[in-house]
């Protein structure tokens, strides 16, 4: 049987664990190993808030678990090794779990470096994301955050409660507060912001007062009766999920912010829930406890193993293991590719917790589980972003193309948790592939969920289909005070710890450091006695290299080793490593450049890593989807600006044939043309390949792209660095979102159109002249082929844009043909390409740069 190869010979209990999981998951009871009912968080919220009593009753009728064969549940670990008379004996169970298979705790793991010793450089994309998140954390009010906690504890409730999933009537209330505790602790460690320190300390103190008032150790924003329903398998929205967030948040306040009160609160809370679980197993059997775990419990096992690593209290170890969901982990232990239809973010945290079990106990079974799970998700269930899930669930393996029919693709929470899985695996193995995954998922799956620098505006699902928009999903962008979805909680944590996976230490005779992410930052490496500074030249499509420089300020002369990751996406040809002017010999991509020396203040090490454009097939093994591919530039996933269904690209023998970088100088050639109509500003716009005047759009929308044109000089040899260089020159207008096309006229009195530049001819060339209305700030566009005829917008926006010929010095005509020309409303991202399509060309830019604009991630790429 395959399981024998992964079970330690000294531990038959591990075999029992896997064997009973097979029994549970391989028979009719398999459907029970999920959250019941199989509903998303979104559905739960809609159900809870619905006024339709009939619908709610029908759903609740189907909630109850169908009784299953008692022998199946009886075989669940740890009941399997309990005699009949001891099935209710907590003392026997406690001793069995406490003593079973405790190996020597894991050794050789890379160490996390203290987050407070890492500082992100200002003006990098990571630092901007961190600052945006800090601003949001500072906006939130302590009284509003803990309003429902105080209400539950019977204390006075100053302030106003927040809405959304933190609303006083929502059963999941309190979960975001737990995330806030974690995020603020991580952010304080990252920034040392004093105002945030005061705010989070007040929050902990306020929660402590609630716990003291209740007096049992219980602490939540909802009453303990929710757990009565949980334990009797009655409808309730994931109370342990919320408790996990509160426990984790308080533990982070202790770990990262040094708050001793928070640790006391955690241990008191855990005592309360230890007693509850003990009572359930004593009153019923352990199978009732496992039955209740079909409701989402977050990372209860993870936080309890973390707590055990601090306290050494065996009660915490026992309780942690009772939250290791055996029917799911058993599938992974058997290496079964059978996670379809599981709620993704219910189960990823369970895997993270099992990884903590391996680190705490050294049990190799759990190392196998984490490794197999990561391989399974990456090979069969992941997008080009590194993310996973569709409508919160896993679909059939290698059927990702089906997921693109909806906008509810990558759930942000799943990316947050998959990063944890990969981080553990990297620390165990030092394998570059896990660091590469971390880079990809962080860059595309995390940095993509903020709406620019708008504090507190994030998304739940990251759409990855055809002509989709982050603003046009089931949730759209959230709001600062009335959303508080699960992904808001993980979002504020993610943006608070952007510096936590750049550097890792290895213990040994000589200090050793692994540098696995190239993010502008400084690191005070205390064990290596060096202050290390990492600068990164902003990546651009016009310069196909990642350029990184390291300088050093040693505290004292100590021999140490630095290991620099060479990403799998780069090439050895063209790669350079230079130390003080001397070229270093580099290994192949996917390995490390290792340098050992006594570092001095004059040392300078630079890396030049080639960035290449490559395609990556969608994870779908059906032949009809073989041409569906994503396009990446180094770690950056590119998306094409498009509002229609056209997604066909024509690739040549090499990338140069079909995709070309946009020069940085092109930004100086971008312009928008404005006119005022009755007190409102309108702008010349490409509207579905026709030209019209549209009201000035909000930044980051499709209209900002459509209202931007690139001025192309007819004489390509002429200098063009500012708009003034185009005055009195023959120019063509290329729409920003339709590269390779031009504005053309069809003759006097006819509307302007957008057409392929190869078909425009003289009708696409205009002379840029001073505005006919005589104002210094305006320009007019005269047709070169029809002298005396100008681009004319009429006296109202609805009159359209056409070519009109001047017959006299009519002031109305002069006004209608004069526009204020300013810098384009849109600008090219430094990473911008033009991809040649079958029917049109596409502007490609990083997915993380999109706000509300429509885009396509996967293209039909034909040779």
């Amino acid at each position: 049987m395959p399981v024998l190869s992964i079970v330690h010979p000294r531990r038959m209990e591990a075999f029992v664990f896997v064997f009973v999981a097979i029994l549970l998951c391989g028979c009719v009871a398999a459907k029970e190993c999920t959250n019941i009912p199989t509903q998303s968080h979104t559905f739960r919220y809609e159900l809870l808030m619905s006024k339709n009593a009939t619908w709610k009753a029908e759903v609740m009728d189907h909630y109850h678990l169908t009784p299953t064969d008692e022998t199946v549940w009886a075989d669940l670990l740890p009941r399997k090794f309990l005699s009949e008379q001891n099935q209710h004996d907590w003392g026997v169970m406690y001793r069995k779990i406490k003593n079973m298979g405790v190996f020597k705790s894991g050794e050789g793991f890379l160490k996390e470096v203290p987050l407070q010793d890492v500082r992100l450089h200002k003006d990098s994309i990571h630092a901007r994301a961190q600052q945006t998140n800090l601003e949001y954390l500072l906006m939130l009010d302590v009284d509003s955050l803990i309003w429902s906690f105080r209400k539950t504890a019977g204390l006075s409730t100053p302030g106003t409660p927040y809405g959304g999933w933190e609303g006083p009537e929502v059963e999941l209330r309190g979960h975001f507060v737990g995330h806030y505790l974690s995020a603020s602790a991580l952010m304080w460690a990252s920034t040392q912001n004093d105002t945030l320190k005061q705010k989070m300390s007040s929050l902990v103190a306020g929660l402590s007062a609630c716990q003291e008032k209740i007096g049992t150790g219980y602490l939540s924003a909802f009453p303990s009766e929710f757990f009565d329903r949980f334990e009797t398998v009655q409808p309730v929205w994931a109370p342990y999920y919320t408790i996990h967030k509160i426990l984790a948040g308080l533990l982070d306040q202790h770990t990262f912010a040094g708050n001793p009160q928070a640790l006391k609160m955690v241990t008191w809370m855990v005592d309360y829930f230890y007693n509850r679980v003990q009572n359930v197993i004593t009153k019923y059997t352990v199978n009732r406890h496992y039955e209740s775990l079909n409701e989402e419990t977050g990372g209860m096992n993870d936080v309890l193993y973390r707590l055990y690593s601090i306290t050494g209290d065996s009660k915490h170890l026992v309780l942690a293991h009772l939250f290791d969901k055996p029917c799911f982990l058993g599938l992974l232990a058997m290496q079964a590719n059978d996670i379809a239809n599981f709620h993704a973010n219910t189960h990823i945290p369970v895997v993270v917790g099992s990884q903590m079990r391996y680190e705490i106990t050294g049990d190799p079974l759990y190392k196998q589980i984490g490794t197999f799970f990561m391989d399974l998700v990456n090979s069969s269930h992941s997008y080009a972003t590194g993310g996973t899930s569709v409508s919160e669930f896993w679909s059939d393996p290698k059927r990702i193309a089906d997921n693109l029919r909806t906008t509810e693709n990558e759930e942000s929470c799943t990316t947050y948790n998959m990063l944890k899985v990969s981080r553990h695996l990297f620390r165990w193995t030092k394998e570059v592939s896990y660091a590469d995954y971390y880079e990809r998922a962080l860059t595309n799956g995390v940095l993509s969920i903020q709406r620019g620098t708008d504090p507190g505006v994030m998304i739940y699902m990251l759409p990855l289909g055809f002509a989709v928009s982050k603003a046009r999903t089931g949730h759209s962008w959230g709001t600062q005070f009335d959303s508080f979805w699960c992904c808001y909680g993980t979002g504020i944590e993610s943006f608070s710890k952007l510096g936590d996976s750049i550097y890792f230490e290895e213990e040994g005779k000589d200090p050793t450091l692994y540098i696995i992410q190239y993010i502008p930052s400084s690191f005070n490496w205390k064990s290596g006695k060096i202050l290390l500074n990492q600068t990164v030249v902003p990546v651009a499509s016009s310069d196909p290299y990642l350029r990184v420089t390291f300088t050093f300020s040693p505290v004292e002369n100590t021999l140490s080793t630095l290991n620099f990751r060479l990403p799998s996406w780069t090439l050895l040809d063209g790669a350079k490593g230079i130390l003080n002017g001397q070229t270093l010999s580099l290994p192949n991509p996917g390995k490390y450049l290792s340098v050992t020396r006594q570092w001095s203040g004059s040392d300078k090490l630079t890396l030049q890593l080639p960035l290449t454009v490559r395609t990556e097939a969608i994870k779908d093994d059906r032949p009809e989807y073989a041409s569906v591919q994503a396009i990446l530039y180094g770690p950056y996933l590119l998306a094409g600006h498009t509002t229609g269904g056209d997604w066909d690209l024509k690739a040549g023998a090499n990338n140069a044939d079909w995709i070309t970088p946009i020069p940085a100088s092109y930004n100086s050639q971008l312009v928008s043309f404005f006119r005022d109509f009755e007190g409102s500003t309108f702008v010349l716009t490409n509207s579905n390949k026709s030209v019209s005047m549209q009201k000035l759009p909000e930044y980051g929308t499709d209209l900002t792209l459509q209202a931007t044109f690139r001025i192309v000089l007819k004489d390509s040899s002429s200098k063009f660095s500012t708009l003034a260089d185009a005055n009195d020159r023959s120019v063509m207008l290329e729409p920003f979102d339709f590269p390779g096309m031009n504005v053309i006229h069809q003759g006097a009195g006819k509307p302007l159109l957008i057409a392929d530049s190869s078909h425009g001819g003289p009708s696409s060339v205009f002379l840029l002249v001073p505005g006919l209305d005589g104002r210094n700030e305006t320009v007019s566009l005269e047709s070169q082929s029809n002298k005396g005829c100008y681009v004319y917008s009429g006296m109202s926006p609805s009159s359209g844009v056409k070519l009109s010929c001047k017959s006299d010095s009519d002031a109305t005509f002069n006004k209608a043909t004069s526009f204020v020309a300013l810098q384009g409303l849109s600008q090219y991202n430094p990473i911008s390409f033009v991809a040649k399509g079958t029917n049109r060309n596409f502007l490609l830019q990083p997915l993380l740069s999109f706000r509300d604009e429509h885009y396509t991630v996967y293209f039909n790429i034909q040779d």
Side-chain angles (χ1 to χ4, degrees):
M1 184 180 293
V3 68
L4 296 178
S5 65
I6 63 172
V7 177
H8 196 283
R10 294 178 298 167
R11 178 164 172 216
M12 285 307 296
E13 288 89 349
F15 171 76
V16 172
F17 168 77
V18 178
F19 178 71
V20 299
I22 299 167
L23 290 179
L24 178 64
C25 299
C27 65
V28 293
K31 63 183 179 182
E32 302 294 350
C33 190
T34 183
N35 54 316
I36 304 295
T38 51
Q39 297 165 352
S40 68
H41 278 300
T42 302
F43 182 88
R44 297 285 191 95
Y45 180 74
E46 291 173 350
L47 178 67
L48 187 67
M49 303 306 292
S50 174
K51 306 299 182 182
N52 187 331
T54 302
W55 178 59
K56 293 176 73 170
E58 289 174 350
V59 172
M60 295 305 179
D61 283 344
H62 289 85
Y63 185 96
H64 302 286
L65 288 169
T66 302
T68 56
D69 184 352
E70 171 64 16
T71 60
V72 174
W73 288 104
D75 279 336
L76 279 168
L77 184 74
R79 185 173 176 177
K80 177 70 177 179
F81 52 76
L82 294 176
S83 62
E84 184 67 28
Q85 62 267 32
N86 289 329
Q87 288 179 1
H88 304 272
D89 192 326
W90 177 262
V92 172
M93 180 175 298
Y94 177 94
R95 290 191 295 274
K96 289 283 187 179
I97 299 177
K98 175 185 173 184
N99 297 322
M100 59 181 287
V102 177
F103 297 77
K104 186 178 181 181
S105 60
E107 295 181 343
F109 302 153
L110 293 180
K111 287 179 55 179
E112 301 173 354
V113 305
L115 188 56
Q116 59 265 32
D117 291 340
V118 179
R119 287 291 177 269
L120 302 183
H121 289 178
K122 293 182 179 180
D123 299 325
S124 69
I125 57 174
H126 297 83
R128 287 195 295 271
Q130 177 181 272
Q131 178 62 28
T132 299
N133 192 53
L134 173 60
E135 292 172 13
Y136 181 48
L137 296 179
L138 294 174
M139 290 169 62
L140 295 173
D141 176 67
V142 170
D143 286 335
S144 296
L145 286 170
I146 61 175
W147 193 95
S148 290
F149 286 84
R150 287 170 170 161
K151 181 74 172 179
T152 297
L155 296 173
S156 61
T157 54
T160 303
Y162 286 129
W165 288 15
E166 282 296 309
E169 72 287 359
V170 177
E171 290 186 350
L172 208 68
R173 61 189 180 271
H175 76 105
F176 180 84
V177 177
H179 283 295
Y180 185 92
L181 288 166
S182 291
S184 56
L186 293 164
M187 183 64 82
W188 180 78
S190 297
T191 65
Q192 300 291 295
N193 184 279
D194 291 336
T195 304
L196 184 63
K197 181 68 178 288
Q198 295 171 7
K199 186 180 288 283
M200 68 189 192
S201 297
S202 296
L203 180 58
V204 172
L207 292 172
S208 179
C210 295
Q211 189 181 37
E212 292 286 347
K213 179 65 168 60
I214 295 172
T216 63
Y218 182 77
L219 174 64
S220 185
F222 49 74
S224 61
E225 286 78 9
F226 280 26
F227 288 95
D228 298 337
R229 290 154 56 189
F230 176 87
E231 292 161 358
T232 54
V233 199
Q234 298 298 311
V236 66
W237 191 359
Y240 269 118
Y241 172 93
T242 296
I243 292 302
H244 160 244
K245 306 303 175 278
I246 298 169
L247 289 172
L250 289 170
L251 200 58
D252 286 338
Q253 285 289 322
H254 165 72
T255 303
F256 293 99
N259 190 327
Q261 181 183 24
L263 182 60
K264 293 177 182 178
M265 294 168 67
V266 169
T267 55
W268 197 14
M269 282 183 71
V270 171
D271 284 345
Y272 173 85
F273 287 107
Y274 177 89
N275 292 331
R276 286 206 75 123
V277 173
Q278 178 181 357
N279 290 337
V280 169
I281 294 175
T282 302
K283 182 178 179 180
Y284 303 102
T285 57
V286 70
N287 72 307
R288 168 56 69 83
H289 169 69
Y290 282 134
E291 201 174 342
S292 66
L293 295 191
N294 282 322
E295 178 58 73
E296 187 172 4
T297 58
M300 282 295 295
N301 56 348
D302 179 42
V303 71
L304 290 167
Y305 283 126
R306 286 178 55 204
L307 180 62
Y308 171 73
S309 72
I310 295 171
T311 66
D313 189 334
S314 57
K315 290 193 305 183
H316 302 155
L317 179 65
V318 169
L319 190 59
H321 194 42
L322 284 169
F323 279 95
D324 286 326
K325 190 172 182 177
C327 61
F328 183 70
L329 296 179
L331 279 175
L332 302 178
M334 284 301 299
Q335 301 194 6
N337 187 351
D338 192 22
I339 63 173
N341 302 317
F342 279 84
H343 185 261
N345 207 51
T346 292
H347 294 93
I348 303 173
V350 175
V351 175
V352 175
S354 75
Q355 291 179 299
M356 276 301 301
R357 179 170 180 80
Y358 168 60
E359 294 192 10
I360 295 297
T361 69
D363 187 338
L365 177 66
Y366 292 86
K367 180 180 181 181
Q368 294 278 357
I369 285 173
T371 303
F372 173 73
F373 175 75
M374 188 73 186
D375 291 344
L376 175 60
V377 173
N378 272 344
S379 65
S380 303
H381 297 278
S382 65
Y383 302 100
T385 56
T388 188
S389 78
V390 57
S391 299
E392 300 189 18
F393 290 80
W394 284 305
S395 58
D396 290 335
K398 296 186 178 179
R399 292 291 184 272
I400 294 294
D402 292 341
N403 298 356
L404 305 186
R405 296 169 182 166
T406 176
T407 59
E408 307 304 285
N409 301 134
E410 177 179 339
E411 183 187 359
S412 301
C413 289
T414 64
T415 308
Y416 161 88
N417 281 308
M418 287 301 298
L419 285 170
K420 289 187 175 183
V421 175
S422 67
R423 194 171 186 267
H424 279 297
L425 291 169
F426 173 75
R427 289 180 50 245
W428 302 347
T429 67
K430 311 179 188 71
E431 290 184 14
V432 168
S433 60
Y434 296 126
D436 286 345
Y437 172 85
Y438 198 97
E439 177 185 48
R440 177 188 290 227
L442 179 68
T443 301
N444 304 297
V446 173
L447 295 181
S448 291
I449 71 170
Q450 280 182 328
R451 191 177 186 272
T453 55
D454 297 343
V457 183
M458 294 175 282
I459 55 173
Y460 193 133
M461 303 285 190
L462 180 59
L464 297 168
F466 315 115
V468 295
S469 167
K470 297 174 187 177
R472 301 289 185 272
T473 68
H475 295 81
S476 186
W477 294 107
T479 59
Q480 294 169 334
F481 308 119
D482 291 297
S483 293
F484 299 113
W485 309 316
C486 52
C487 297
Y488 256 58
T490 54
I492 62 171
E493 285 192 45
S494 291
F495 292 113
S496 295
K497 58 176 183 174
L498 292 173
D500 80 338
S501 296
I502 305 173
Y503 309 97
F504 289 90
E505 290 183 284
E506 184 173 39
E507 295 182 320
K509 180 181 178 181
D510 296 320
T512 299
L513 187 69
Y514 283 77
I515 302 167
I516 69 164
Q517 302 297 328
Y518 296 119
I519 296 173
S521 57
S522 62
F523 172 45
N524 184 7
W525 186 21
K526 293 176 181 175
S527 63
K529 298 179 173 55
I530 299 172
L531 178 63
L532 183 150
N533 190 61
Q534 176 185 172
T535 58
V536 182
V537 176
V539 173
S541 49
S542 56
D543 178 24
Y545 295 96
L546 176 66
R547 302 180 187 275
V548 190
T549 300
F550 295 90
T551 54
F552 311 89
S553 299
V555 177
E556 61 181 71
N557 292 329
T558 302
L559 190 71
S560 61
T561 299
L562 302 184
N563 293 302
F564 302 89
R565 175 180 66 108
L566 296 185
S568 300
W569 47 256
T570 193
L571 300 173
L572 186 58
D573 184 17
K576 292 182 181 179
I578 300 174
L579 176 60
N580 300 332
Q582 298 296 313
T583 300
L584 303 173
S585 176
L586 297 182
N588 289 323
K591 299 183 180 299
Y592 296 96
L593 167 64
S594 184
V595 182
T596 301
R597 65 186 281 116
Q598 286 188 356
W599 299 92
S600 72
S602 61
D603 285 340
K604 178 179 179 181
L605 189 149
T606 61
L607 295 175
Q608 174 184 291
L609 303 177
L611 291 158
T612 61
V613 174
R614 67 192 188 282
T615 60
E616 184 176 283
I618 194 169
K619 290 184 170 61
D620 198 303
D621 58 9
R622 292 170 289 184
E624 59 267 35
Y625 296 107
S627 62
V628 179
Q629 301 176 61
I631 306 171
L632 295 104
Y633 181 60
Y636 296 92
L637 177 62
L638 303 179
H641 287 281
T642 175
T643 56
D646 194 345
W647 63 309
D648 296 321
L649 295 180
K650 193 74 173 177
N654 55 66
N655 288 346
D657 293 332
W658 68 282
I659 187 166
T660 54
I662 292 178
S665 61
Y666 275 18
N667 270 327
S668 65
Q669 302 170 12
L670 296 177
V671 63
S672 293
F673 298 95
F674 302 88
R675 272 200 62 200
D676 288 337
F677 293 93
E678 298 180 353
S680 296
T681 301
F682 285 73
V683 61
L684 193 73
T685 303
N686 162 31
S687 303
N688 196 25
K689 294 189 179 180
S690 64
V691 181
S692 66
M693 298 299 295
Q694 299 287 337
K695 198 164 186 178
L696 184 66
E698 181 182 354
Y699 174 72
T701 61
D702 288 326
L703 274 176
T704 58
L705 274 68
Q706 296 161 1
T708 303
F709 299 85
R710 184 169 76 91
I711 292 182
V712 182
L713 294 182
K714 178 67 174 174
D715 180 4
S716 59
S717 63
S718 300
K719 174 187 173 183
F720 188 179
S721 58
T722 67
L723 182 60
D725 293 331
N727 288 341
D728 296 314
R729 298 282 187 87
S730 295
V731 303
M732 295 171 286
L733 300 181
E734 179 185 80
F736 183 85
D737 57 334
F738 277 88
M741 293 190 173
N742 288 331
V743 175
I744 67 167
H745 69 78
Q746 305 178 83
K750 294 181 179 180
L752 301 185
L753 298 177
I754 307 297
D756 190 288
S757 58
S758 62
H759 302 139
S763 64
S764 65
V765 182
F766 298 89
L767 188 65
L768 191 69
V769 299
L772 297 184
D773 64 358
R775 294 188 295 159
N776 291 334
E777 64 270 24
T778 62
V779 297
S780 296
L781 292 162
E782 182 182 12
S783 168
Q784 182 169 288
S785 60
N786 294 53
K787 294 297 184 179
C789 300
Y790 296 83
V791 174
Y792 179 95
S793 64
M795 296 310 296
S796 71
S798 60
S799 59
V801 179
K802 60 185 178 181
L803 192 70
S804 184
C805 300
K806 182 177 181 180
S807 57
D808 53 38
S809 59
D810 180 62
T812 300
F813 180 90
N814 292 344
K815 183 177 181 181
T817 55
S818 298
F819 304 87
V820 175
L822 298 175
Q823 183 184 43
L825 291 176
S826 291
Q827 293 283 294
Y828 294 114
N829 186 278
I831 303 173
S832 294
F833 294 86
V834 174
K836 294 181 179 179
T838 303
N839 302 310
R840 55 159 292 190
N841 294 342
F842 293 89
L843 171 61
L844 303 180
Q845 296 183 314
L847 177 63
L848 64 85
S849 68
F850 284 76
R851 292 164 64 97
D852 298 354
E853 308 97 326
H854 283 77
Y855 58 85
T856 292
V857 167
Y858 286 98
F859 291 89
N860 179 36
I861 302 180
Q862 301 286 347
D863 292 331

